[in-house]
Amino acid sequence: MTPVSDPTLRHERTLGRAGAQLVIGVDEVGRGALAGPVAVGMCVIDPASRRTFPAGLRDSKLLSEARREQLAPLATKWAWASAVGLASADEVDRLGIIACLGIAGARALTQLRAVGVDTSQAILLLDGNHNYLAAQIGDEVQVTTKIKADRDCASVAAASVVAKVHRDRLMISLHEEHPGYAWASNKGYGSSAHFDGLQLLGPTVHHRHSWLKAERMIDGSVPA
């Protein structure tokens, strides 16, 4: 197996040399879940700073849950500011997942501005090749995309970890209200225990009902 390289700040520093005073790493989590919100995390850094990011920082998908819990507060402390915006399961049903990624991202930006981040001189560094923020924020903030930014760029890896831990904790708290779906372990994704819960109990208000119907997980035999 090819070893996974650690992220760096090379790309962020390139953006800084091109004029960005701040780089805001952006990543989403929960996009493919059947229950719970979709989350967009943001971590703000000064690309000219020589501060080192936390040792072991990587894309959240490459880390164990325990390691993410250790790294999240370190990533938050390293960043100038951080935020996680959410869009609910109901919003996903009504508006669609892509629109909700933009909504969650816009909410994260609002949080950053509330703590004093001047986004007018920032560049949002977005993982992937699709600018899902455009419909919500327009040209308020410059956005650049980069495939595998969550793997290669430390600011985006930090955003990934912060968002993942935030959402995971939320799903664990929802598990306490609805213990029949094993959300404490599957975090709302489609595990066998989650499907068993759906068959036995039916969906909750935290489920993305349109997704369940699309996957034919709800039929006349399942209580609404």
Side-chain angles (χ1 to χ4, degrees):
M1 181 180 294
T2 303
V4 177
S5 61
D6 292 333
T8 72
L9 287 167
R10 284 195 292 268
H11 193 68
E12 288 92 335
R13 286 172 178 153
T14 297
L15 294 173
R17 288 192 293 272
Q21 294 184 13
L22 297 173
V23 174
I24 305 176
V26 185
D27 200 18
E28 50 81 14
V29 298
R31 182 172 184 164
L34 301 177
V38 65
V40 173
M42 296 188 178
C43 281
V44 183
I45 68 161
D46 174 358
S49 172
R50 292 290 139 183
R51 291 181 63 201
T52 57
F53 55 85
L57 180 66
R58 287 186 175 180
D59 171 20
S60 64
K61 296 186 291 296
L62 302 176
L63 299 167
S64 68
E65 184 169 359
R67 188 64 177 133
R68 290 193 298 264
E69 285 283 349
Q70 293 171 344
L71 281 167
L74 300 178
T76 300
K77 184 177 180 180
W78 168 66
W80 194 89
S82 62
V84 180
L86 303 174
S88 70
D90 175 67
E91 289 174 314
V92 172
D93 279 337
R94 290 186 291 106
L95 304 171
I97 188 63
I98 299 301
C100 284
L101 289 171
I103 290 167
R107 288 169 178 166
L109 268 179
T110 297
Q111 294 174 38
L112 293 179
R113 289 170 177 143
V115 297
V117 177
D118 181 4
T119 59
S120 66
Q121 300 300 315
I123 289 182
L124 292 169
L125 174 54
L126 182 61
D127 177 54
N129 61 3
H130 175 231
N131 179 8
Y132 53 74
L133 298 172
Q136 293 297 321
I137 69 171
D139 58 0
E140 293 175 17
V141 188
Q142 185 177 347
V143 178
T144 184
T145 60
K146 179 175 170 57
I147 295 172
K148 300 295 184 184
D150 53 358
R151 180 195 67 186
D152 298 334
C153 301
S155 66
V156 182
S160 172
V161 169
V162 169
K164 176 65 173 166
V165 169
H166 182 97
R167 186 182 182 279
D168 280 0
R169 290 176 179 174
L170 175 60
M171 295 309 298
I172 290 169
S173 71
L174 290 177
H175 169 83
E176 296 174 1
E177 299 176 23
H178 304 278
Y181 306 91
W183 289 341
S185 58
N186 63 48
K187 309 304 188 293
Y189 287 87
S191 72
S192 59
H194 193 167
F195 293 140
D196 289 345
L198 281 166
Q199 289 299 318
L200 180 64
L201 302 169
T204 70
V205 295
H206 303 293
H207 279 97
R208 302 175 188 178
H209 291 239
S210 59
W211 290 36
L212 300 177
K213 292 174 183 177
E215 294 296 329
R216 300 181 180 178
M217 295 173 202
I218 298 177
D219 57 33
S221 67
V222 178

